[in-house]
Amino acid sequence: MPIEVVQFRCLGDNFGLLVHDVSTGATASIDAPDGQEIADQVKRQGWSLSHLLLTHHHADHVQGALTLKKIFPEMMIVGSLKDAYRLPSLDRRVNEGDTILIGASTARIIETPGHTLGHIAYHFYQDDAVFVGDTLFSLGCGRVFEGTMEMMHLSLNKLANLPGETQVYCGHEYTQANGRFALTIDPGNVLLQERMRHVDTLRRLDQFTLPTTIALERATNPFLRVEDPDIKRAMGLIQAGPVDVFGYMRECKNNFAA
């Protein structure tokens, strides 16, 4: 049986995400922005929390972990082995290619360094869903705080190579701001224009723009299209390699006022 995903607002623009294995009742939270809000959502569903899957160490993704552990003492906390020294106490430390069972559902670990050095994503490959934290955003990507531009580019390529139908769940609701930037460097992309009209409508209605899909991001997210000649031409980098294009694009986005 498939997983059920519940998505809700946490803190300001963070997402709370619950992954429920329908056949066994096991439930995981992806990150812990607000422990009490997550616990309340779990109880509203009539579930209990069996796992906490951490993507990276930033406070807005881990600060609710201890609250959740107190409310659900049997909960297993999972995180990157490389980041174990700065994550809440882990019950399971994972590396690239490891798998985690949430009831009968399997998540494969994808290491995605760049935003932070120990960042990981959780790919529920049997259910066509990936939880990417702050590496890939809808129409954008995370800032490169600890890794290098090359690291981040390679991490995004890993995610972009997942099957196109894969549903992508991100850590924040950033689509509208990301899309406004994307239009400045890919103005002729008709699909991007159509997507942004839909995004603007959703945000006016205070509705979420996620999940997205890998296929949609490949077609409209400029950070996954750094080898596209039109984008390179728009940025004046027609002869540049993909890492240089990505790095310049990321710096432009850092300074972009949406």
Side-chain angles (χ1 to χ4, degrees):
M1 295 180 73
I3 59 172
E4 177 182 349
V5 179
V6 175
Q7 182 175 243
F8 52 96
R9 183 175 286 109
C10 252
L11 303 178
D13 53 34
N14 282 72
F15 279 116
L17 289 160
L18 301 177
V19 182
H20 181 69
D21 178 63
V22 176
S23 63
T24 66
T27 304
S29 174
I30 307 296
D31 289 330
D34 183 328
Q36 191 59 57
E37 177 61 29
I38 293 167
D40 290 346
Q41 288 286 344
V42 170
K43 292 175 181 177
R44 285 188 195 109
Q45 300 294 329
W47 301 336
S48 183
L49 204 59
S50 57
H51 295 76
L52 172 59
L53 308 182
L54 300 175
T55 63
H56 65 294
H57 71 89
H58 286 165
D60 63 321
H61 291 259
V62 303
Q63 62 193 11
L66 296 182
T67 297
L68 289 173
K69 191 70 169 178
K70 288 177 183 176
I71 299 171
F72 305 103
E74 301 303 313
M75 178 187 75
M76 176 185 289
I77 303 179
V78 181
S80 168
L81 173 64
K82 294 180 175 65
D83 255 6
Y85 70 97
R86 54 182 179 176
L87 291 170
S89 181
L90 299 177
D91 301 298
R92 174 84 187 273
R93 303 176 180 193
V94 293
N95 287 311
E96 173 81 20
D98 289 346
T99 57
I100 295 288
L101 276 176
I102 308 301
S105 299
T106 304
R108 180 173 62 89
I109 306 304
I110 304 174
E111 292 183 347
T112 55
H115 182 67
T116 66
L117 289 175
H119 200 296
I120 58 176
Y122 296 87
H123 182 209
F124 287 78
Y125 54 90
Q126 295 163 315
D127 299 281
D128 294 323
V130 65
F131 298 84
V132 296
D134 287 1
T135 296
L136 174 63
F137 288 126
S138 175
L139 293 176
C141 73
R143 288 178 180 258
V144 181
F145 286 122
E146 296 178 1
T148 65
M149 293 297 179
E150 183 175 16
M151 276 184 188
M152 191 64 151
H153 173 62
L154 292 173
S155 293
L156 291 170
N157 277 350
K158 275 189 188 180
L159 297 173
N161 285 326
L162 295 177
E165 65 272 19
T166 305
Q167 299 275 304
V168 180
Y169 293 88
C170 311
H172 296 267
E173 177 60 80
Y174 288 164
T175 308
Q176 192 172 48
N178 287 342
R180 288 171 181 164
F181 172 74
L183 284 169
T184 68
I185 57 175
D186 197 11
N189 187 327
V190 175
L191 184 57
L192 174 60
Q193 295 168 13
E194 293 174 353
R195 188 178 178 194
M196 277 303 294
R197 285 193 289 270
H198 181 57
V199 165
D200 289 340
T201 298
L202 290 175
R203 296 312 294 148
R204 278 197 304 272
L205 298 172
D206 197 30
Q207 295 180 11
F208 298 146
T209 63
L210 294 167
T212 179
T213 67
I214 291 296
L216 189 56
E217 293 309 306
R218 286 180 195 152
T220 57
N221 187 332
F223 291 97
L224 302 188
R225 302 177 59 237
V226 294
E227 296 188 64
D228 185 292
D230 290 338
I231 287 180
K232 294 173 71 172
R233 191 175 297 109
M235 302 185 74
L237 297 172
I238 195 65
Q239 299 299 325
V243 174
D244 289 334
V245 175
F246 173 80
Y248 183 71
M249 188 184 297
R250 184 60 262 181
E251 290 299 327
C252 289
K253 178 61 169 64
N254 291 349
N255 297 315
F256 180 74

